[in-house]
Amino acid sequence: MAVFGGRRQRGDNPALPPGQFLTGSFPVLSAGPTPSVSAADWEFTIRTETGKTHRWNWAQFMALPSEIISADIHCVTSWSKLNTAWRGVSLDTFFDDVETESDFVMAHSYGGYTTNLPLKEVLNGQAWIAHEYDGKSLDPEHGGPARLLIPHLYFWKSAKWVRGLVMQNKNAPGFWERNGYNLHGDPWREERYS
Ligand SMILES: Nc1nc2c(c(=O)[nH]1)N[C@H]1C(S)=C(S)[C@@H](COP(=O)(O)O)O[C@H]1N2
Ligand SMILES: [Mo]
């Protein structure tokens, strides 16, 4: 493989989606300042179209079954990082008691970031709320105390400092989607921009 500028060319690594380059570092990409959210004040909610709100505080979150997730992550700015290790709780667990007819979700973060997602793409073992990276509490600049982890979509969909999901019946765009990013964001189909 050709090596230049510390990054390796795509070559024939089958784990790399088109147009992506490997990085060994863990870049920080944040559209604004890192909000300071303590676990003690943390709350995660899911609000449905009927207005019903399901809530979890940190202790309730920690009491849910968590799992280790090993995943490749792909940023639309073209870096990919393979075999990242997280601990988190599947969104399937949070949705256990949620009744909704809506097909879409808007994720909201502490600090105001938003991103839209189809509900079916955050269920069935495809998305987590992660609170550990590499066996340690998630660093605030990477979204600690907890962030979304949706590795099969470009990493802008993995909202850092997530504070809630709001069900929506239209696929209304979130922050980056309003600014030209794709509504869906599949890295294997290079769904980068709209
Ligand atoms: N709240 C919030 N979440 C966010 C972002 C952000 O700016 N704010 N940036 C997104 C983008 S573009 C990427 S690539 C990843 C970066 O995560 P990292 O900083 O842990 O590498 O977070 C995503 N989630
Ligand atoms: Mo990104």
Side-chain angles (χ1 to χ4, degrees):
M1 260 184 202
V3 177
F4 58 95
R7 300 201 291 192
R8 271 177 294 168
Q9 204 170 17
R10 181 172 181 242
D12 53 8
N13 189 330
L16 271 184
Q20 294 293 113
F21 294 85
L22 285 178
T23 181
S25 72
F26 194 173
V28 171
L29 274 97
S30 303
T34 295
S36 139
V37 186
S38 70
D41 296 331
W42 184 87
E43 184 183 57
F44 176 71
T45 59
I46 299 178
R47 191 169 85 224
T48 71
E49 64 278 12
T50 67
K52 184 170 168 67
T53 303
H54 303 253
R55 294 174 186 281
W56 295 264
N57 63 25
W58 190 261
Q60 291 164 328
F61 173 39
M62 289 299 105
L64 297 174
S66 67
E67 54 192 300
I68 297 215
I69 307 109
S70 172
D72 301 341
I73 55 179
H74 311 290
C75 174
V76 71
T77 62
S78 87
W79 57 265
S80 288
K81 189 169 172 58
L82 305 184
N83 297 313
T84 60
W86 308 80
R87 178 176 285 281
V89 174
S90 171
L91 278 190
D92 295 320
T93 302
F94 291 96
F95 273 95
D96 262 352
D97 297 326
V98 174
E99 283 179 31
T100 179
E101 304 280 305
S102 299
D103 289 331
F104 301 98
V105 169
M106 184 72 84
H108 292 260
S109 294
Y110 292 96
Y113 186 84
T114 54
T115 189
N116 60 290
L117 297 147
L119 177 61
K120 67 170 163 38
E121 298 218 23
V122 299
L123 298 179
N124 299 312
Q126 298 182 92
W128 296 265
I129 304 223
H131 58 91
E132 282 182 19
Y133 177 78
D134 253 353
K136 293 188 278 292
S137 302
L138 188 57
D139 197 319
E141 38 178 33
H142 287 298
R147 74 178 297 163
L148 272 179
L149 175 65
I150 313 172
H152 75 289
L153 298 175
Y154 280 122
F155 209 35
W156 89 76
K157 297 288 186 180
S158 294
K160 304 197 279 189
W161 318 293
V162 67
R163 69 172 170 82
L165 305 180
V166 176
M167 301 309 306
Q168 50 178 13
N169 47 32
K170 287 191 322 196
N171 199 8
F175 173 74
W176 279 121
E177 296 84 2
R178 282 194 302 274
N179 287 282
Y181 282 13
N182 193 274
L183 276 180
H184 183 230
D186 180 346
W188 294 97
R189 297 161 73 177
E190 280 208 88
E191 295 172 341
R192 298 175 190 273
Y193 309 109
S194 54

